[in-house]
Amino acid sequence: MEWTGLNELRESYLKFFESKGCLRHKSYPLVPQNDNSLLLIVAGMAPLKPYFTGQETPPRTRMTTCQKCIRTGDIENVGKTARHGTYFEMLGNFSFGDYFKKEAIAWAWEYVTQVLKLPKDRLYISVYEDDDEAEKIWHEDAGVPMDHIVRMGKEDNFWEAGTDGPCGPCSEIYFDRGEKYGCGKPDCKVGCDCDRYMEFWNLVFTQFERHEDGTYTPLKQKNIDTGMGLERLASIMQDVDSIFDVDTVKAIRDHVCKIAGCEYGKEYKKDVSIRVITDHIRSVTFMASDGILPSNEGRGYVMRRLLRRAVRHGKLLGINGLFLKDLVKTVVDCNKCEYNELEEKYDYIVKVLTTEEQNFNATIDRGMKILDDLIAQMQKDGKTELDGESCFKLSDTYGFPIDLTREILEEKGMTCDEEGFAECYAKQRETAKNAHAATKYMGADETVFHKIDKDFHTEFIGYDKLEGDSEISFITTDDELIENAKAGDEVYIVSSQTPFYAESGGQVGDIGTIVTESGKCRVVDTQKVVAGKFAHKAVVEEGEIAVGQKAHFTVDRKTRYAVMRNHSCAHLLQAALRKVLGEHVHQAGQLVDAHRLRFDFSHFNAMTAEEKLKVEALVNKYILEALDIKMEEMPIAEAQKLGAMALFGEKYGETVRVVTMGDGDETASIEFCGGTHLDNTSRIGLFKIISESSVASGVRRIEAVTGRGVLELVEERAATIQQAAESLKLANPLDIVKRCHTIMQEVKDLEKERDALQAEITNLKTKSLFDNPYEVNGVKVVTAMLTNTRPDMLRKMGDELKAREADAVAVVAGVDGEKANLVVVCGKNAVAKGAHAGKIAGKVAALTGGKGGGRPDSAMAGIGDRFKIDEALDKVNEIVGEFVK
């Protein structure tokens, strides 16, 4: 073949299956949609589960995709071998009750032999041991010789997940890479663990339903699910040793080598690090482009672990400074032809990865200090192995990798308890697993709405109407379909048409009324339930309603318009934030209701007062300019050409709704959005930010009000100012600031007087402490408990005691209201004799249920139960005696 590049192979596959009547669909995001069983998409079929189960009707019964996937089950082996990776693309062609084995096999064979032109004599086929049908098709129809067809057992060639659900036999295609990849054994054949026979395409024939009792029955709808790793196929076509030698992956690998100043293939240890960085930078770049942010849980934890692992291996290669941002450019350049979102979100991706890289560098510095203390304690105790719990705590709590702990300990002639570490790690994974929501393997829980015909859809007519007539098609409770409901019942009403907007994209569902000839319902919420159905959550207030009745649907006008003011303003807010803060800003979530708008966005620092004022001013400028708001449906490709912003991780169809605010040079915002909006920005009225805060690492939140909400805020704040003026006994509220300055100065003056008096009292108390010291092995020991003594006074007293008596140990407790603290100081001669303030403080505080510590000469501790202070101070002489010999 003249073309073997990875990007060209992807295109050839998708075009081939388009020619077979398959709908070509862009890769779905890595974040699963409505699937609690997965953290990340792990296979091409994963986003299509509702079509396989029959819960939803697919856009076409034949589809083909190249799906972004991430699997981290073998993360520890990534780098150690050239076979393992976390990010890959999976080519797939699918049938939902359409074509089956005959076509799937014929087309697979046609593609590999006629399009890819792989030599037939090097292709082998495996089939399930009981699947005579597949073997016959391969041999008689495709012409594969019997000595190139291998039957395998259930473990290798039967696909099923869980104890129940759709399942079926598999057929896999292998390529013989030649003896140089083999193990040399005389019985080396398909199925051998060596690298000679590479399985690259798996055809799954989903034809059975497995039941919990272990029995199988034929499925009414037989499906085809195939999966072929694009990188693995490319390695065959390019005749290279591994996925790390494939053109697009090699480009990243070479960039890593350039930054590190080393050559691949020369030293195993360095190759491991090069492969880790190459693989992980692909994963985290694609994760960031789909809106995933590093965190300590869920998919964010997966991202953080991959990113930090890459940074750690950069350090092992001797790379100094931040380097991930440089590699992102190569990842984007190699993949943007298919994944244009990488280029669109380039600035954002770089910002996310660089911020986490900076944070991790700081983490490593903190972890080093903790590990140094642990090593010092081990040396003192004569130990040479760091316990597993400490290793795990370093890794889990402080983000300090186990391999770094191991390496540093080895440099000191020590080891780490990796078995104990593994036990702690396994325990944490089990806990996380148990906490994970239990669902069917397909990830979509059955609800009462799944009992409704999957082809039934609700048509939304509420973009330009707030009322309309339709028929009540279904009435349900939380558990069952019912025929009628009477006054007092709370039910869900499903109709074929509705002007009620169902909650989506952060816009709340509409409220209002549904009236029939025999009853009236108050709608308290509207939700999208499953497969395009809208459910009106309603309370029957009068009479009764029944399935089949004609009904008049009326949306609450006042509430809807208040919601639309906030929703339209949220678009303007995002536009303003991107202008003021930078192009890395993207919506990370929102909630717009009738009262306020809450907008979450990607940003890595708290906004300054000046930035908030600029954003506020810019949004109000857009409002006062009275920009027309236009909503239109168009092909997704056309919307992307216009520069319309899409939501992270959102699943879009071929046709999208685009909301444009302004026109030409005055265009303020263009976004994909299915929500409802005003027709002009002037109808928003006014915009005011209430608060700006952090909700997660790299995510900020603005809460704001519009229209009447701004007026209510102004009225509320005016009332507060008036009350403050009255409290300060001011006739004119405008004098509040001046009066506050005066009061603050008076407070400062009084604090100075108080501090001077307290310093004098402290000095007097300090002098009297050594009137009757207790002696322990030549060291003076004094104790005291003082009331109304703040921690800063205790510290000052401690400093004076330490400076005054070089041969003394002083333990002083101070009680300040409900809180109590302890200071321990040791003079330099006392320290030389073995006294250690930090350890003494820890032991004394422990007697009260508190804890603390510090340096040998000075330490502070918190006291747990202040009523146990006397008891603890009575033990001080004994505790000091443990250290001073």
Side-chain angles (χ1 to χ4, degrees):
M1 287 180 64
E2 295 179 1
W3 51 267
T4 57
L6 181 140
N7 289 319
E8 295 165 304
L9 284 171
R10 183 198 298 112
E11 187 63 23
S12 80
Y13 179 91
L14 295 172
K15 277 190 173 179
F16 175 81
F17 279 99
E18 273 189 297
S19 75
K20 303 300 182 185
C22 293
L23 171 67
R24 174 174 175 169
H25 198 289
K26 183 177 171 64
S27 172
Y28 292 91
L30 284 165
V31 180
Q33 304 287 310
N34 302 317
D35 186 345
N36 296 325
S37 68
L38 295 172
L39 279 180
L40 295 159
I41 295 298
V42 296
M45 63 80 66
L48 309 175
K49 288 176 182 179
Y51 306 147
F52 282 110
T53 60
Q55 290 177 348
E56 294 185 23
T57 302
R60 197 179 297 174
T61 53
R62 300 179 179 187
M63 287 182 68
T64 184
T65 64
C66 183
Q67 177 62 45
K68 301 178 286 189
C69 301
I70 287 181
R71 293 181 185 171
T72 56
D74 289 324
I75 189 172
E76 297 300 337
N77 289 319
V78 175
K80 293 179 183 176
T81 76
R83 287 193 294 177
H84 291 90
T86 58
Y87 175 82
F88 64 97
E89 296 179 58
M90 186 174 281
L91 298 164
N93 59 284
F94 311 96
S95 165
F96 312 109
D98 191 322
Y99 66 84
F100 199 51
K101 284 185 190 179
K102 194 175 183 70
E103 295 87 349
I105 290 172
W107 295 342
W109 190 247
E110 180 185 348
Y111 180 70
V112 297
T113 59
Q114 295 183 34
V115 179
L116 298 183
K117 300 189 185 304
L118 288 171
K120 295 179 182 180
D121 61 344
R122 295 176 69 179
L123 292 170
Y124 288 79
I125 308 298
S126 70
V127 296
Y128 178 52
E129 57 190 2
D130 294 336
D131 195 353
D132 297 335
E133 181 187 11
E135 183 183 79
K136 185 178 180 181
I137 296 171
W138 278 115
H139 179 57
E140 296 182 4
D141 294 2
V144 179
M146 288 301 294
D147 61 357
H148 276 233
I149 301 176
V150 179
R151 288 192 182 233
M152 291 187 176
K154 200 169 187 179
E155 185 177 339
D156 295 302
N157 276 71
F158 194 93
W159 183 87
E160 59 186 345
T163 57
D164 63 339
C167 57
C170 311
S171 190
E172 297 176 319
I173 306 177
Y174 291 78
F175 182 74
D176 179 3
R177 306 185 74 199
E179 291 184 7
K180 67 176 182 177
Y181 290 100
C183 56
K185 295 177 183 177
D187 62 343
C188 182
K189 59 183 179 180
V190 171
C192 183
D193 288 336
C194 70
D195 291 337
R196 176 171 177 174
Y197 297 94
M198 178 186 281
E199 179 270 310
F200 66 96
W201 199 350
N202 186 14
L203 316 180
V204 180
F205 313 124
T206 313
Q207 63 189 90
F208 299 115
E209 175 86 17
R210 177 186 165 116
H211 305 284
E212 291 189 5
D213 61 4
T215 60
Y216 298 84
T217 54
L219 279 173
K220 290 180 181 178
Q221 176 182 300
K222 294 179 171 61
N223 302 317
I224 289 293
D225 161 26
T226 83
M228 174 161 58
L230 177 58
E231 292 85 353
R232 185 174 289 193
L233 176 64
S235 69
I236 292 173
M237 299 305 299
Q238 296 174 20
D239 193 24
V240 293
D241 289 346
S242 78
I243 59 173
F244 292 95
D245 301 300
V246 168
D247 60 335
T248 56
V249 186
K250 181 178 179 294
I252 303 165
R253 189 197 79 190
D254 290 345
H255 196 171
V256 174
C257 292
K258 181 181 177 182
I259 293 172
C262 61
E263 188 177 345
Y264 185 68
K266 295 294 183 182
E267 184 183 332
Y268 173 73
K269 194 173 180 181
K270 287 187 176 181
D271 286 353
V272 169
S273 294
I274 293 167
R275 286 192 288 262
V276 167
I277 298 168
T278 301
D279 171 76
H280 290 4
I281 190 63
R282 295 176 80 213
S283 291
V284 297
T285 297
F286 276 94
M287 290 173 86
S289 77
D290 279 341
I292 301 170
L293 287 166
S295 69
N296 287 330
E297 57 186 15
R299 59 184 67 95
Y301 177 72
V302 174
M303 183 180 186
R304 172 162 284 169
R305 189 176 178 207
L306 291 171
L307 196 150
R308 291 185 168 191
R309 203 164 183 259
V311 174
R312 165 65 191 139
H313 279 273
K315 292 185 179 297
L316 290 177
L317 288 175
I319 300 174
N320 296 315
L322 304 174
F323 68 95
L324 295 184
K325 63 181 186 298
D326 299 322
L327 296 174
V328 170
K329 183 70 166 62
T330 304
V331 176
V332 172
D333 287 344
C334 290
N335 294 278
K336 64 186 180 184
C337 61
E338 178 67 17
Y339 303 107
N340 56 297
E341 65 268 22
L342 293 173
E343 195 164 39
E344 291 170 6
K345 297 181 173 73
Y346 176 76
D347 290 341
Y348 168 80
I349 295 168
V350 167
K351 188 74 173 176
V352 169
L353 302 193
T354 300
T355 300
E356 181 66 13
E357 188 177 6
Q358 289 171 325
N359 291 342
F360 183 48
N361 285 337
T363 293
I364 284 187
D365 292 338
R366 288 196 300 272
M368 282 297 300
K369 290 176 183 175
I370 294 166
L371 184 54
D372 285 344
D373 289 341
L374 289 169
I375 290 172
Q377 188 61 47
M378 287 167 65
Q379 289 171 333
K380 186 174 180 180
D381 297 340
K383 295 179 180 178
T384 58
E385 183 181 72
L386 182 61
D387 64 279
E389 193 173 333
S390 294
C391 293
F392 180 72
K393 188 175 182 181
L394 274 167
S395 171
D396 187 58
T397 305
Y398 300 105
F400 203 70
I402 183 65
D403 55 346
L404 180 55
T405 301
R406 184 191 306 119
E407 181 180 324
I408 293 168
L409 288 170
E410 285 173 356
E411 290 171 0
K412 304 282 186 181
M414 297 175 170
T415 59
C416 57
D417 176 13
E418 299 206 35
E419 200 172 301
F421 172 83
E423 287 176 7
C424 292
Y425 181 67
K427 185 177 179 182
Q428 184 210 48
R429 289 191 70 177
E430 187 62 29
T431 302
K433 181 180 176 184
N434 292 337
H436 201 57
T439 62
K440 286 183 174 291
Y441 88 98
M442 277 299 191
D445 292 327
E446 291 285 338
T447 69
V448 66
F449 302 106
H450 286 102
K451 296 176 183 178
I452 299 174
D453 182 355
K454 68 177 185 292
D455 292 323
F456 179 89
H457 296 111
T458 302
E459 180 190 359
F460 176 60
I461 59 170
Y463 282 121
D464 51 14
K465 297 178 183 177
L466 291 182
E467 55 184 299
D469 295 313
S470 187
E471 183 181 285
I472 295 179
S473 303
F474 302 92
I475 303 173
T476 86
T477 64
D478 287 328
D479 307 309
E480 61 182 340
L481 293 170
I482 57 177
E483 289 299 314
N484 49 56
K486 60 183 185 302
D489 290 347
E490 185 174 278
V491 295
Y492 297 93
I493 297 169
V494 180
S495 57
S496 58
Q497 271 192 351
T498 183
F500 283 74
Y501 182 82
E503 182 174 346
S504 181
Q507 179 178 333
V508 296
D510 279 334
I511 63 173
T513 59
I514 297 175
V515 180
T516 71
E517 61 181 6
S518 60
K520 178 181 178 182
C521 302
R522 175 169 50 88
V523 178
V524 296
D525 192 13
T526 310
Q527 293 286 325
K528 281 183 183 176
V529 282
V530 62
K533 300 170 183 62
F534 286 25
H536 307 82
K537 186 176 182 180
V539 177
V540 183
E541 291 190 319
E542 298 174 16
E544 65 176 54
I545 60 169
V547 171
Q549 280 189 315
K550 296 291 183 183
H552 189 69
F553 293 68
T554 306
V555 175
D556 184 291
R557 183 183 184 87
K558 182 180 176 183
T559 302
R560 165 71 87 82
Y561 270 90
V563 172
M564 290 197 299
R565 278 194 292 273
N566 285 327
H567 194 175
S568 295
C569 198
H571 284 227
L572 298 178
L573 174 58
Q574 176 165 234
L577 286 167
R578 285 172 64 84
K579 281 200 171 186
V580 173
L581 301 180
E583 295 294 304
H584 64 276
V585 169
H586 285 271
Q587 179 181 323
Q590 73 169 0
L591 177 65
V592 289
D593 59 21
H595 306 292
R596 65 177 59 186
L597 69 91
R598 189 182 78 196
F599 188 81
D600 295 347
F601 59 100
S602 52
H603 189 53
F604 303 88
N605 305 102
M607 289 177 67
T608 63
E610 183 183 3
E611 287 170 338
K612 282 184 275 190
L613 285 173
K614 281 184 178 179
V615 167
E616 212 171 65
L618 190 51
V619 172
N620 281 311
K621 175 176 176 286
Y622 294 145
I623 293 170
L624 294 174
E625 284 175 345
L627 304 174
D628 285 332
I629 299 175
K630 182 172 63 175
M631 290 162 280
E632 55 187 331
E633 289 189 351
M634 63 181 71
I636 191 168
E638 186 180 330
Q640 288 168 336
K641 284 179 184 176
L642 288 174
M645 286 194 68
L647 286 179
F648 275 127
E650 188 71 22
K651 186 168 76 173
Y652 293 103
E654 293 304 308
T655 302
V656 294
R657 192 170 182 84
V658 175
V659 177
T660 306
M661 299 186 179
D663 188 36
D665 293 338
E666 292 185 356
T667 301
S669 168
I670 310 179
E671 287 190 39
F672 289 37
C673 184
T676 62
H677 288 276
L678 304 168
D679 57 9
N680 190 282
T681 60
S682 63
R683 299 186 71 177
I684 296 170
L686 289 168
F687 168 77
K688 181 67 181 175
I689 293 174
I690 298 172
S691 66
E692 188 269 348
S693 60
S694 171
V695 290
S697 177
V699 180
R700 308 293 300 179
R701 170 174 292 171
I702 279 178
E703 295 206 31
V705 287
T706 63
R708 178 63 197 167
V710 178
L711 297 178
E712 288 172 356
L713 182 67
V714 170
E715 290 164 3
E716 179 186 311
R717 291 186 176 177
T720 301
I721 291 169
Q722 184 59 43
Q723 288 171 11
E726 289 172 3
S727 296
L728 294 170
K729 295 183 170 51
L730 293 173
N732 187 353
L734 296 177
D735 292 334
I736 285 178
V737 174
K738 182 179 178 182
R739 179 62 181 140
C740 285
H741 283 310
T742 302
I743 290 173
M744 287 306 298
Q745 188 57 52
E746 290 173 359
V747 169
K748 285 181 182 178
D749 292 341
L750 289 171
E751 284 177 344
K752 282 182 183 178
E753 288 180 30
R754 180 204 61 195
D755 290 343
L757 287 170
Q758 287 180 337
E760 206 172 311
I761 292 168
T762 298
N763 190 41
L764 290 171
K765 289 178 179 178
T766 302
K767 287 179 181 178
S768 63
L769 274 181
F770 284 98
D771 290 346
N772 297 295
Y774 188 89
E775 191 170 308
V776 177
N777 297 327
V779 171
K780 297 175 184 175
V781 180
V782 296
T783 63
M785 183 177 76
L786 307 173
T787 57
N788 299 320
T789 307
R790 301 193 316 274
D792 58 325
M793 294 171 63
L794 277 180
R795 287 193 193 91
K796 188 173 181 181
M797 180 181 287
D799 291 340
E800 291 180 6
L801 288 170
K802 182 175 61 175
R804 180 175 296 173
E805 298 285 344
D807 295 304
V809 172
V811 180
V812 183
V815 180
D816 184 28
E818 296 296 315
K819 295 183 179 179
N821 292 279
L822 189 75
V823 67
V824 180
V825 293
C826 302
K828 61 180 180 180
N829 292 344
V831 171
K833 292 179 180 179
H836 191 293
K839 294 175 182 178
I840 294 170
K843 283 179 170 283
V844 176
L847 295 172
T848 71
K851 57 184 178 180
R855 304 189 310 270
D857 64 332
S858 180
M860 289 285 291
I863 288 171
D865 184 349
R866 55 198 175 93
F867 296 107
K868 292 184 178 180
I869 293 175
D870 286 336
E871 183 182 333
L873 292 180
D874 287 342
K875 297 284 186 180
V876 167
N877 295 334
E878 183 181 324
I879 291 170
V880 172
E882 295 176 19
F883 298 97
V884 180
K885 304 294 184 182

